[in-house]
Amino acid sequence: YMLYYILLLLFVLIAFVTLSVTVFFNISDIQVTGISKLSAQEVIAASGLEKGDNLFRSNLKGAQKKVEQSQAFADSAKMVRKLPSTLVIQVTEAVPTVNLKTGDTYAVLSAKGRVLEVNQQKPNDKLITLEGIKKDGLKRGDFLDYEGDEKLSTLGTIVEALEEVGFQGIKGINLENLV
């Protein structure tokens, strides 16, 4: 009798797992939080996920990357499963933090290095203006990679520190001659 119960348990487990990834846990509701500049429809479309997709078979990491790469005002995105059938896309919108002088024009960046605006004729007076970093060909939505370049790494550290302490009154920083 013991073998019979073990086989029955195994069959029930296999049936449950099979139904879980095929019939149960299909997405019936997709919610987007943390947005004000973006529309929920844009974020959902960018994720590539649709109602009817399975919560466990869907590639949530891939959807997260798609949202972060395609939405210029999204600094980050996180996909959260809410059982039994809801997917929540938590978006952190990019906030203008610094002006980056690029030749005769300015680019507006977020704290995480997301390029929000390019070819601005005048810097935004409410933001810190950075000079001394040579970056050509910036496009809206690009991320500056703080890791590979000493000046960009310094920029990332400065921006994070200023964001953390909320320091006001700095109008400009020149990173031309780092020692």
Side-chain angles (χ1 to χ4, degrees):
Y1 290 109
M2 187 63 133
L3 182 60
Y4 174 75
Y5 289 119
I6 291 174
L7 288 174
L8 181 63
L9 179 65
L10 185 63
F11 175 76
V12 169
L13 283 173
I14 290 172
F16 178 74
V17 169
T18 302
L19 288 173
S20 293
V21 296
T22 57
V23 177
F24 301 138
F25 305 115
N26 288 337
I27 299 171
S28 66
D29 185 29
I30 302 175
Q31 301 171 358
V32 181
T33 63
I35 57 172
S36 62
K37 294 179 182 147
L38 303 169
S39 77
Q41 291 80 13
E42 288 176 321
V43 174
I44 292 168
S47 75
L49 299 172
E50 299 175 348
K51 289 181 180 180
D53 291 348
N54 188 278
L55 270 176
F56 293 103
R57 284 198 345 243
S58 297
N59 181 358
L60 298 186
K61 289 219 183 277
Q64 174 181 324
K65 286 183 182 177
K66 287 178 185 177
V67 170
E68 291 172 348
Q69 290 172 349
S70 67
Q71 300 300 302
F73 284 99
D75 258 350
S76 65
K78 181 179 179 184
M79 307 290 166
V80 178
R81 293 179 181 103
K82 212 171 171 185
L83 298 178
S85 60
T86 301
L87 176 70
V88 179
I89 304 173
Q90 298 173 341
V91 177
T92 303
E93 284 191 330
V95 177
T97 306
V98 295
N99 299 303
L100 178 64
K101 186 165 175 61
T102 56
D104 294 334
T105 61
Y106 297 86
V108 177
L109 307 178
S110 74
K112 290 191 176 183
R114 170 76 82 168
V115 179
L116 303 176
E117 300 293 335
V118 293
N119 298 323
Q120 301 295 304
Q121 297 304 313
K122 291 191 263 181
N124 183 330
D125 293 338
K126 297 176 184 168
L127 305 177
I128 298 168
T129 299
L130 297 166
E131 297 183 34
I133 295 177
K134 303 278 190 262
K135 277 293 178 189
D136 296 325
L138 292 177
K139 292 182 279 232
R140 188 170 172 232
D142 286 349
F143 270 104
L144 293 183
D145 182 15
Y146 288 154
E147 298 302 315
D149 182 302
E150 182 182 5
K151 288 182 181 181
L152 288 176
S153 177
T154 302
L155 167 62
T157 303
I158 290 169
V159 169
E160 285 176 17
L162 291 173
E163 285 282 306
E164 191 173 305
V165 297
F167 192 82
Q168 302 295 318
I170 296 177
K171 294 293 180 192
I173 299 173
N174 190 326
L175 299 173
E176 186 75 40
N177 296 313
L178 288 179
V179 180

